[in-house]
Amino acid sequence: MENRKKVAFYTLGCKLNFSETSTIARNFNDEGFDRVDFEEIADIYVINTCSVTENADKQFKQVVKKAMKLNDKAFVAAVGCYAQLKPEELAAVDGVDLVLGATEKFKITDYIHDLSKNDMGEVHSCEIAEADFYVGSYSIGDRTRAFLKVQDGCDYKCTYCTIPLARGISRSDALENVLKNAKEISAQNIREIVLTGVNIGDYGKGEFGNKKHEHTFLDLVKALDEVEGIERLRISSIEPNLLKNETIDFVSKSRTFVPHFHIPLQSGSNDILKLMKRRYLREVYTDRVNKIREVMPHACIGVDVIVGFPGETDEHFLETYHFLNEMDISYLHVFTYSERDNTEAADMPGVVPANVRAKRSKMLRGLSVKKRRAFYESQIGTNRTVLFESENKEGYIHGFTENYVKVKTPWNPELINTLHEINLTKIDEDGSVRLEFVNKLAEA
């Protein structure tokens, strides 16, 4: 039998990238390749890049270096957002053989007939206007939960963001295809599915390659709730203006959707929200949080926020800080603003010095610790359901409750990927929560 080629993958960035890497990996499998860990020697290394993190180029170079150390004759391919935005830059990195943009990344196996190293990376990127078709994907086998992509691209023109340039217009998967993927996932004994996309609240748009809508995000949520075999569904991140009260009400009574929302705010100052060209003002955000708290008092609410946007004065920042401090939220994801080529914000006046950005970021991260602690404390003494993960971390197994409280208990491999009813007893020194078992809900 001939020697099968080995391929390894490295994913930078978001959940959507993880789901797409998994789909690309399955394509390689269909073509007769064996997938190995990135730490192992492989014939091909595929790096799925991200344009959002600040050190995207630095991270990419480190990953390429790592691959070359393992096998200096390996074929290295870069795909994803950064590959679309800066293909020549990535192609010039020592060791890179192939760079594929937004429309080409799912056809990667077509390009890999010849595995000989190139002197200079070969680039296949498209004009982003051509990225108007939809490729469904989901991740499986990497974790105890699966990321299911339902939507791609974005029609919003936020002034700091390169995603529309990297991923193209908003377009959605057909509802029957999402349901088919969800059934495939649940057949693999995966207990939780996380819905992911670039702007998932926009779901339905572009189902037919145009702007005609047959379905909405609420239709999607209702249809997924009916799929047999799925025990948990989680909405990853949804814009406040697209999270409708009907959806919040439905989740509160749903069989499978969990009480956890991640809602980007970006700034608590209306002046800055307008400069960012966000599609809402802070009052809308307050309404959403109040509505969630009214029907799901125990829900977990996560917030994205950007500090140091051009024009953000100390007053604007304090407005954001106080707004978040007073709001009943559970944790923050804090992003320090960094300039991106070809965005409006990159040319705006009022540049905030790097040291001020860092100080603001630190303040909000401190607030996040306080908020998470208060949320966890509010959950002590309650009964919840936990899904245990697969890693042994210093003699403990961790898991998350439906409302995203991180729990731990002494390591027991039989608990992996099982659901149990537990009582939350106390917060441990490391910030996670200890538990007592109430009864076993599902057997391994």
Side-chain angles (χ1 to χ4, degrees):
M1 194 180 139
E2 65 174 304
N3 208 357
R4 282 164 67 100
K5 296 265 187 254
K6 294 188 173 74
V7 60
F9 298 87
Y10 197 100
T11 306
L12 295 158
C14 64
K15 296 181 172 103
L16 182 55
N17 273 2
F18 275 100
S19 77
E20 291 182 343
T21 299
S22 275
T23 297
I24 293 166
R26 286 195 289 279
N27 295 345
F28 269 97
N29 201 33
D30 295 344
E31 295 286 328
F33 286 84
D34 287 329
R35 181 176 183 174
V36 297
D37 275 350
F38 203 84
E39 275 61 42
E40 295 179 41
I41 291 173
D43 301 289
I44 301 177
Y45 292 95
V46 179
I47 304 164
N48 195 352
T49 62
C50 169
S51 67
V52 177
T53 50
E54 201 167 350
N55 301 318
D57 51 341
K58 207 155 83 192
Q59 278 181 304
F60 176 74
K61 282 175 185 157
Q62 282 165 352
V63 178
V64 174
K65 213 179 242 169
K66 193 169 161 184
M68 290 286 87
K69 219 177 227 167
L70 289 161
N71 178 8
D72 60 3
K73 293 182 179 61
F75 189 91
V76 177
V79 301
C81 291
Y82 206 64
Q84 174 65 32
L85 291 174
K86 301 278 178 87
E88 275 74 23
E89 225 171 85
L90 294 193
V93 172
D94 208 18
V96 174
D97 301 292
L98 179 68
V99 179
L100 297 181
T103 59
E104 309 303 316
K105 63 187 168 196
F106 293 105
K107 307 177 208 157
I108 181 170
T109 51
D110 299 349
Y111 290 102
I112 297 189
H113 306 306
D114 166 26
L115 292 185
S116 55
K117 296 290 288 173
N118 296 328
D119 290 340
M120 175 78 185
E122 194 182 318
V123 173
H124 297 272
S125 67
C126 61
E127 285 305 314
I128 198 60
E130 293 165 26
D132 57 0
F133 57 89
Y134 185 84
V135 178
S137 53
Y138 58 85
S139 72
I140 215 162
D142 307 330
R143 292 177 156 82
T144 48
R145 60 175 77 97
F147 298 122
L148 171 58
K149 173 181 162 186
V150 300
Q151 183 276 342
D152 200 350
C154 190
D155 292 340
Y156 288 8
K157 298 285 184 279
C158 299
T159 53
Y160 52 81
C161 186
T162 55
I163 297 282
L165 299 171
R167 284 187 171 268
I169 58 169
S170 178
R171 53 211 190 271
S172 306
D173 206 349
L175 188 59
E176 55 274 22
N177 196 46
V178 174
L179 297 176
K180 178 180 87 67
N181 285 342
K183 285 174 187 143
E184 282 177 20
I185 293 168
S186 67
Q188 312 244 0
N189 193 28
I190 283 186
R191 311 282 188 179
E192 179 174 310
I193 294 177
V194 183
L195 301 186
T196 178
V198 173
N199 187 356
I200 62 173
D202 213 20
Y203 176 81
K205 196 189 268 190
E207 259 181 290
F208 307 100
N210 55 23
K211 294 301 167 210
K212 207 166 84 192
H213 264 257
E214 188 174 308
H215 298 105
T216 62
F217 184 67
L218 182 59
D219 295 337
L220 172 76
V221 165
K222 284 179 171 171
L224 280 166
D225 201 45
E226 303 282 305
V227 176
E228 289 295 311
I230 299 175
E231 290 173 76
R232 275 187 181 183
L233 282 155
R234 203 177 287 277
I235 298 166
S236 64
S237 178
I238 184 164
E239 294 283 304
N241 50 308
L242 295 173
L243 177 58
K244 304 292 186 231
N245 284 347
E246 297 82 4
T247 306
I248 296 170
D249 280 327
F250 183 81
V251 168
S252 74
K253 302 181 186 77
S254 155
R255 180 181 70 86
T256 52
F257 277 89
V258 295
H260 175 203
F261 294 89
H262 192 92
I263 315 168
L265 168 68
Q266 311 309 17
S267 175
S269 157
N270 283 342
D271 293 346
I272 299 297
L273 288 173
K274 287 173 189 167
L275 283 175
M276 290 175 164
K277 289 196 180 165
R278 299 292 285 158
R279 302 264 181 127
Y280 55 85
L281 295 174
R282 60 188 247 163
E283 289 72 17
V284 170
Y285 202 92
T286 307
D287 287 349
R288 292 301 172 268
V289 171
N290 290 347
K291 172 68 183 173
I292 293 167
R293 286 281 166 246
E294 180 195 316
V295 294
M296 288 172 272
H298 61 296
C300 180
I301 303 174
V303 185
D304 284 344
V305 61
I306 294 171
V307 297
F309 189 79
E312 184 186 63
T313 62
D314 285 344
E315 289 71 28
H316 291 135
F317 171 71
L318 288 173
E319 227 183 310
T320 297
Y321 187 92
H322 294 310
F323 181 69
L324 288 166
N325 191 30
E326 282 153 30
M327 198 167 315
D328 192 358
I329 53 153
S330 316
Y331 65 88
L332 303 171
H333 281 171
V334 184
F335 298 90
T336 304
Y337 171 76
S338 64
E339 286 73 5
R340 290 281 176 271
D341 291 347
N342 303 315
T343 58
E344 263 186 76
D347 301 319
M348 284 182 179
V351 173
V352 178
N355 62 328
V356 177
R357 295 184 208 187
K359 185 175 142 205
R360 290 176 186 173
S361 171
K362 196 173 174 185
M363 278 177 75
L364 283 183
R365 284 172 210 271
L367 180 62
S368 181
V369 170
K370 189 178 103 174
K371 286 286 183 185
R372 193 186 298 265
R373 177 96 192 179
F375 173 61
Y376 280 12
E377 278 171 358
S378 75
Q379 298 302 299
I380 298 299
T382 63
N383 283 8
R384 297 283 171 237
T385 307
V386 63
L387 171 61
F388 285 107
E389 311 222 318
S390 55
E391 218 179 321
N392 180 346
K393 288 185 182 162
E394 294 171 1
Y396 288 93
I397 187 167
H398 290 79
F400 284 93
T401 62
E402 66 276 32
N403 61 341
Y404 216 56
V405 174
K406 188 178 187 181
V407 301
K408 69 188 269 196
T409 197
W411 171 252
N412 173 358
E414 285 171 20
L415 293 174
I416 292 172
N417 198 31
T418 59
L419 286 158
H420 298 273
E421 194 184 336
I422 54 156
N423 182 269
L424 300 173
T425 56
K426 64 171 187 157
I427 300 178
D428 211 36
E429 296 94 74
D430 66 358
S432 53
V433 178
R434 291 301 195 111
L435 57 95
E436 279 169 3
F437 288 95
V438 177
N439 59 34
K440 299 197 172 184
L441 280 188
E443 292 308 317

